[in-house]
Amino acid sequence: MERLACLAIGYVFGLFETSYIYGRLHGIDIRNYGSGNAGTTNMFRTMGKGAGVITFLGDAFKPIFAAVFTWLLFGRNHADIWPLLCLYTGAGAILGHNFPFYLGFRGGKGIAATGGTIMALNRPMCALAILTFAAGFFLTGYVSVGSLMVCVGFLIETVVFGQLGIFGMTQGHLYELYVVAAALAVLAFYQHRGNIDRLRKGEERKAGIFQKKEKK
């Protein structure tokens, strides 16, 4: 029951579609510009660095605020499985961001929200995620590569940290944690399927977040 509640709470918080709301305040629907994605990279490309930073922060803090809310509801009574409930909450926020019902289920790709989920779960893992993204991005020049490396790295780190006893849960609960982390990694690859296809064809854009904003 608590798991479903955490997913639902996370989904509600995830519905705050930062790029869409920011774009509407400036008279546009961001989904009709650039890549058509309601996420950080498209905001950088379309509306500039300021809009991109605001979008990233808004999307990253959604799962953090959701985690605080679920901690107040369940954390003290379920401290033994809090990392698992936290990840369910983050998963809900990512789903709300990627598939907002009021936008026809057309949202973002969930990477900033994934970063916020990692931050809520474990701060050292968040630091590793930042380093992983930086390595992937600066070595290849592709935001998508850095983003996917974060998701793969998160899965690996979750398993390693879990087996080292850092999460303090039983092995059965750890296996469940790993399954949720793996599902989020699969979801990230699914959301980036277009990027992966362009990477395969050599058509993916490099360093898009640093390019001048586009006009339509």
Side-chain angles (χ1 to χ4, degrees):
M1 181 64 181
E2 290 82 9
R3 292 163 175 77
L4 290 176
C6 288
L7 279 171
I9 291 168
Y11 184 85
V12 170
F13 276 82
L15 293 176
F16 186 88
E17 203 71 48
T18 313
S19 62
Y20 177 79
I21 295 170
Y22 185 94
R24 280 302 190 189
L25 290 174
H26 291 77
I28 71 167
D29 182 343
I30 187 62
R31 299 172 303 160
N32 295 328
Y33 290 76
S35 66
N37 181 62
T40 298
T41 302
N42 196 32
M43 285 296 280
F44 268 105
R45 288 173 173 169
T46 304
M47 299 192 71
K49 295 178 182 178
V53 170
I54 290 171
T55 298
F56 174 80
L57 293 176
D59 290 346
F61 273 95
K62 291 188 294 190
I64 295 174
F65 291 145
V68 171
F69 188 81
T70 52
W71 169 259
L72 294 175
L73 288 178
F74 306 119
R76 292 178 178 83
N77 293 329
H78 299 280
D80 57 325
I81 59 168
W82 168 245
L84 182 59
L85 297 182
C86 182
L87 190 56
Y88 271 109
T89 303
I94 294 167
L95 289 172
H97 173 78
N98 290 359
F99 310 109
F101 72 90
Y102 68 99
L103 295 179
F105 302 98
R106 287 180 56 207
K109 296 178 181 177
I111 298 304
T114 298
T117 298
I118 298 171
M119 180 66 178
L121 181 65
N122 185 275
R123 280 175 287 183
M125 288 176 65
C126 184
L128 289 172
I130 293 171
L131 292 174
T132 301
F133 175 83
F137 174 67
F138 287 109
L139 287 175
T140 68
Y142 296 113
V143 173
S144 55
V145 171
S147 299
L148 292 172
M149 285 179 61
V150 166
C151 296
V152 173
F154 172 56
L155 174 57
I156 295 171
E157 292 152 18
T158 300
V159 174
V160 172
F161 278 44
Q163 295 308 117
L164 289 176
I166 291 174
F167 296 125
M169 297 193 300
T170 65
Q171 193 62 48
H173 287 129
L174 285 174
Y175 287 145
E176 187 177 355
L177 188 78
Y178 304 157
V179 169
V180 177
L184 292 178
V186 171
L187 176 62
F189 274 80
Y190 174 78
Q191 292 294 90
H192 284 80
R193 60 194 182 281
N195 302 85
I196 294 170
D197 186 55
R198 288 191 294 274
L199 284 167
R200 183 178 60 82
K201 295 177 179 177
E203 298 173 354
E204 180 77 337
R205 293 178 58 180
K206 285 192 173 184
I209 64 173
F210 296 118
Q211 295 177 1
K212 293 181 179 180
K213 64 182 180 180
E214 298 175 350
K215 294 182 180 180
K216 185 175 179 180

